[in-house]
Amino acid sequence: MIYISNGLNTNVLSPLNQQGNDFNTLKALINTSTPVKVHGVDKALEKTKKSMPYFLAGTLKDIEKGRNNDNLVNRTLITLDFEAQANAKPMPYEDMLKMIHDKLSDYQYMAWGTIRNSPNSGRIRVILAPPSPMDQAETQATTKQVYSLFPSAYCDQSASTYSQLQGLPVDNGRLPYEVVINDTGKPYPIIADKKQEPTPPMQSFNPQSKGRIPKLLDQVYMEGIQEPGRNVFFTQAVGVLIKANVNAHAIYNLCVDWADNHCTPPFPHNELVNVINSVVRAEERKQRKGA
């Protein structure tokens, strides 16, 4: 559900008529609404923030009790804010928008300049579509994971607050009004607030004779795949699996699973495909020389 609030300091929330899922409902609202026009210096814009329209995406237990963490059952969209943090050099709007697209182009997202956005100092709100609603722990873990894709000097961590309202797009006159909508991508995977399950006792058999594939599996499932080093890992892993005569389809499916669920942050599929193709071409060259 998308709830609308006229002003920041109010508990009066109005649910929107659904237009499919919440991502599409929000998209329909933005595409059919005239943005609020706001002008002036930053101090004047701060006053405007108190009366401009905001939204909350999720499910409330009781709409009469307003928004607070205890009254919010789940969140249905991932929201992030990007702007230069303390002591960071401002990033131009166009550069910031490119940075965001470069990292999130595989995913369904919307992006727009916030109320104080300007050509030489980008301030951008990003909305990502998850595959399903998220509880508070999942919301915070997923938001943290998305932010890990970007330089921390430009990540406003306050956007991860569970029940925080988010401002809708406004036209501040400093740049041509635009909302970037990338709705051809896939949902962004939810990061669970993982609690370590107890491991049943198991004897290690022949610990000194572990082969390359068992070592590979140990790294994936016991240590995880960290950035930097993901390209190197997948280059080596694909090579090991090819040499072990693992079916090509199985190699691809394994690597996709590892990229999505065992990489921190998840490894983009386009980069994974490039790595796999590179290893395959190298193996083909070796075979031609040996023929």
Side-chain angles (χ1 to χ4, degrees):
M1 180 66 70
I2 299 290
Y3 302 90
I4 300 299
S5 168
N6 290 316
L8 188 58
N9 300 316
T10 178
N11 271 332
V12 179
L13 298 167
S14 302
L16 283 181
N17 292 326
Q18 288 296 111
Q19 304 286 327
N21 61 28
D22 281 359
F23 186 89
N24 287 331
T25 299
L26 184 61
K27 181 177 72 172
L29 172 68
I30 290 171
N31 284 339
T32 57
S33 301
T34 301
V36 174
K37 291 184 181 294
V38 294
H39 298 286
V41 297
D42 284 354
K43 286 186 178 180
L45 294 180
E46 286 298 317
K47 293 180 180 179
T48 304
K49 287 171 66 174
K50 296 179 181 179
S51 59
M52 61 182 277
Y54 292 82
F55 76 94
L56 175 67
T59 305
L60 293 170
K61 295 176 185 175
D62 184 349
I63 194 171
E64 299 300 325
K65 293 183 179 179
R67 63 175 185 93
N68 58 69
N69 289 356
D70 292 335
N71 194 37
L72 188 60
V73 178
N74 57 48
R75 282 267 296 270
T76 51
L77 294 174
I78 304 162
T79 59
L80 309 107
D81 284 339
F82 295 92
E83 62 179 79
Q85 302 301 293
N87 301 320
K89 181 181 178 182
M91 184 184 296
Y93 168 73
E94 293 294 341
D95 292 349
M96 184 172 284
L97 200 59
K98 182 179 183 302
M99 173 187 75
I100 291 167
H101 185 74
D102 286 348
K103 295 295 185 181
L104 300 179
S105 59
D106 286 343
Y107 302 102
Q108 203 174 19
Y109 77 86
M110 287 181 265
W112 62 79
T114 58
I115 192 168
R116 292 197 291 162
N117 184 44
S118 65
N120 296 319
S121 183
R123 296 168 183 261
I124 297 177
R125 177 154 296 134
V126 173
I127 310 298
L128 280 162
S132 59
M134 307 170 291
D135 62 24
Q136 184 170 1
E138 290 170 335
T139 298
Q140 293 172 341
T142 303
T143 305
K144 180 179 178 181
Q145 196 282 320
V146 181
Y147 273 142
S148 73
L149 302 174
F150 299 92
S152 59
Y154 297 97
C155 299
D156 182 357
Q157 300 289 344
S158 66
S160 62
T161 302
Y162 189 45
S163 59
Q164 181 169 311
L165 291 172
Q166 304 292 337
L168 286 163
V170 297
D171 180 359
N172 69 4
R174 299 177 180 181
L175 280 161
Y177 173 76
E178 71 170 341
V179 176
V180 176
I181 300 178
N182 184 52
D183 56 5
T184 59
K186 59 188 176 183
Y188 196 92
I190 295 172
I191 306 301
D193 184 34
K194 295 181 180 178
K195 295 178 175 59
Q196 187 66 40
E197 296 293 332
T199 302
M202 185 180 296
Q203 180 182 352
S204 293
F205 298 97
N206 299 322
Q208 301 303 318
S209 60
K210 188 174 288 187
R212 298 185 71 185
I213 289 182
K215 288 179 181 177
L216 180 66
L217 297 178
D218 277 355
Q219 181 174 349
V220 173
Y221 296 104
M222 302 303 294
E223 302 171 19
I225 308 160
Q226 307 296 323
E227 184 182 30
R230 298 177 303 176
N231 287 68
V232 172
F233 168 81
F234 280 106
T235 298
Q236 295 173 344
V238 173
V240 168
L241 295 171
I242 288 174
K243 288 181 173 65
N245 293 319
V246 176
N247 176 272
H249 187 65
I251 292 175
Y252 177 76
N253 286 338
L254 270 175
C255 288
V256 167
D257 175 65
W258 295 346
D260 287 347
N261 300 309
H262 299 281
C263 278
T264 305
F267 194 44
H269 288 190
N270 61 328
E271 295 183 38
L272 175 62
V273 170
N274 289 340
V275 169
I276 293 174
N277 288 340
S278 176
V279 176
V280 169
R281 286 194 296 268
E283 290 297 323
E284 288 173 344
R285 287 194 296 270
K286 288 179 184 178
Q287 290 184 13
R288 284 196 296 268
K289 288 181 179 178

